[in-house]
Amino acid sequence: QVRLVESGGGLVQAGGSLRLSCAASGRTLSGYNMGWFRQAPGKEREFVAAKSGSGSGGNTYYADSVKGRFTISRDNAENTVYLQMNSLKPEDTAVYYCAARWRYYSDSASSYDYWGQGTQVTVSS
């Protein structure tokens, strides 16, 4: 099993930045596709970004709504995945979740096997 713990959420003004962290235990993350999702009240869980496993290209993927503003990255030495969020907008307000599935990219929340507890990001205008 893989245990994921997110941190780094908080309250920020529009135009500001936050860096979310996802620390893993139980497995080495390098072979996994790692995803970030978010969910606002009354809305379905939404794909944000992903990075496929090191043996599966290590490619990055972003939702159109965050391209150019968010960056997903890995630190394999620390077994941690990050989401750097810049130029934040009020519509980015949501609970952000880290998730993992073996090797391959997917933008479907239902295809991910492991999930963190979520961290709240609130962007004020």
Side-chain angles (χ1 to χ4, degrees):
Q1 66 180 164
V2 177
R3 182 170 180 264
L4 305 173
V5 179
E6 303 100 330
S7 62
L11 175 64
V12 64
Q13 291 194 141
S17 298
L18 285 172
R19 189 195 196 198
L20 306 184
S21 298
C22 175
S25 61
R27 296 284 190 278
T28 298
L29 286 183
S30 61
Y32 287 82
N33 174 92
M34 302 301 302
W36 286 96
F37 292 78
R38 66 189 183 187
Q39 188 165 23
K43 299 184 68 176
E44 293 186 345
R45 193 162 296 187
E46 175 188 31
F47 171 76
V48 175
K51 192 172 185 67
S52 61
S54 60
S56 303
N59 303 126
T60 57
Y61 305 86
Y62 298 96
D64 287 343
S65 59
V66 307
K67 284 180 180 177
R69 300 189 297 122
F70 291 10
T71 303
I72 186 171
S73 61
R74 295 177 183 263
D75 185 337
N76 287 330
E78 297 295 328
N79 213 30
T80 300
V81 177
Y82 301 97
L83 185 69
Q84 179 67 46
M85 305 186 294
N86 298 326
S87 301
L88 283 162
K89 304 174 181 179
E91 51 262 46
D92 296 318
T93 295
V95 177
Y96 283 71
Y97 297 91
C98 176
R101 68 190 303 273
W102 182 244
R103 294 188 68 183
Y104 303 118
Y105 162 74
S106 174
D107 64 1
S108 174
S110 64
S111 72
Y112 282 74
D113 302 303
Y114 305 103
W115 291 86
Q117 82 288 351
T119 186
Q120 176 71 47
V121 172
T122 302
V123 184
S124 62
S125 60

